[in-house]
Amino acid sequence: MKLPLNFPCASLLVLALAAPVAWAKLPPPATPEAKAKAAEAAAKTAWSGKVDAFKLCQAQDRVAAKYRASAAAAGKPVPAAPATPPCADPGPFAFTPPAEAKPIEASGAHSPATTAASPPSTAQPAATTNPTPKAQ
């Protein structure tokens, strides 16, 4: 015995089974506290990257200095060092939260609406204001 299963029923069944999975992947709504915490985490990650770059720069300088010292001690010709910028220390981590941006309506950045001086329509017929006849 064959059960009839047409395409619309099958597609509705697949959508009904996939809907909970789609809803489960939606992120929770962001709260101001969560946004502040994410901004601080992003700043901390950027600072960590700067610290890593600083440590790498120092290590490269130490390796180059040892190479030059060992090459000079062995009597090999040592080429002149290329000019590189000094290693920049990022300092301790300090996070200052960004100032809250007000929406345009609350910030007063838009111009206020002007008061109407006259009504929007007049008593003149359209033929006097627009004398050109309509093309037919």
Side-chain angles (χ1 to χ4, degrees), residues 1-90:
M1 168 178 201
K2 259 186 160 178
L3 291 175
L5 187 64
N6 57 10
F7 183 72
C9 288
S11 61
L12 284 176
L13 179 66
V14 169
L15 287 175
L17 292 175
V21 174
W23 284 104
K25 291 186 179 186
L26 292 177
T31 61
E33 295 85 22
K35 288 180 183 178
K37 195 166 210 120
E40 184 175 3
K44 182 99 174 172
T45 302
W47 176 78
S48 295
K50 290 177 184 177
V51 168
D52 292 342
F54 175 65
K55 288 180 181 179
L56 175 65
C57 180
Q58 287 181 327
Q60 289 173 338
D61 286 349
R62 283 193 304 269
V63 168
K66 280 187 180 182
Y67 167 75
R68 291 189 182 291
S70 66
K76 295 181 182 176
V78 180
T84 57
C87 301
D89 186 8

Side-chain angles (χ1 to χ4, degrees), residues 106-130:
S107 67
H110 65 288
S111 58
T114 57
T115 308
S118 65
S121 61
T122 61
Q124 290 181 334
T128 58
T129 34
N130 190 5

